[in-house]
Amino acid sequence: MTAPPQNRAHIADRVQRLEAWAFRTGADVADIKAAVEKLPTVIRQEILDYTEPVFGEIMAGRATLATKEDLNDLERRLTELMEKRFGSVDAEFRSVNARFESVDAKLQSFDPRFASVDGRFESVEAKLQSLDAKLDQVLSALGKTAG
């Protein structure tokens, strides 16, 4: 029996080696003719070497070819897995979106508070200006009486 599938060269590599062997250039045309004549036998052997392990596994009952039902079942399972995965991603997205909405609501609740604080600062500033004006009046009255 040949090497297991994982140890065999990829089919494209094997075809390249066959082509290189069949069409190698030599000093003699007889060599090329002999190589071309051997080509069908070599290709047949390569096909057998490549397919024998696969069919051997199938015939031994350790491997089977996929049926239409197998492929449909695989498609159904993959679809279910994708739907489940995207469902969990959607749920996570909704959760994150709800958190952002909560943060946005909290930020909007700060706006009236800041407006209230701003109003208080303006009130304090007006009172300070009023006190400043009264102090100016007191100072000017003291200056007039002292002078």
Side-chain angles (χ1 to χ4, degrees):
M1 184 147 208
T2 59
Q6 65 268 20
N7 294 334
R8 290 193 318 263
H10 187 272
I11 189 71
D13 296 333
R14 295 172 78 100
V15 169
Q16 262 185 332
R17 284 199 318 263
L18 276 172
E19 288 173 346
W21 175 83
F23 300 108
R24 69 180 184 263
T25 55
D28 193 303
V29 175
D31 289 341
I32 295 173
K33 185 177 178 184
V36 170
E37 287 173 358
K38 288 181 182 177
L39 185 59
T41 306
V42 173
I43 290 174
R44 181 176 181 275
Q45 187 59 45
E46 278 291 321
I47 291 170
L48 288 174
D49 289 348
Y50 191 77
T51 57
E52 180 188 14
V54 175
F55 287 119
E57 292 291 312
I58 291 170
M59 297 304 289
R62 292 187 293 269
T64 59
L65 295 173
T67 64
K68 186 176 181 180
E69 290 80 19
D70 292 335
L71 295 176
N72 288 337
D73 186 50
L74 177 64
E75 180 184 16
R76 181 188 53 76
R77 284 185 288 149
L78 287 176
T79 302
E80 287 173 0
L81 287 172
M82 292 301 288
E83 287 173 355
K84 182 179 177 183
R85 181 69 176 151
F86 282 119
S88 67
V89 169
D90 284 344
E92 188 66 29
F93 178 74
R94 283 191 293 274
S95 170
V96 169
N97 195 27
R99 290 179 192 158
F100 278 128
E101 288 174 0
S102 171
V103 168
D104 190 39
K106 288 178 183 177
L107 288 176
Q108 288 178 1
S109 74
F110 282 119
D111 286 344
R113 292 180 186 172
F114 283 130
S116 171
V117 169
D118 196 32
R120 289 180 185 172
F121 276 128
E122 288 175 3
S123 172
V124 169
E125 186 177 357
K127 288 180 182 177
L128 287 175
Q129 287 177 353
S130 172
L131 283 173
D132 195 33
K134 288 179 182 176
L135 285 175
D136 284 344
Q137 287 175 352
V138 168
L139 286 176
S140 88
L142 287 175
K144 287 183 181 179
T145 56

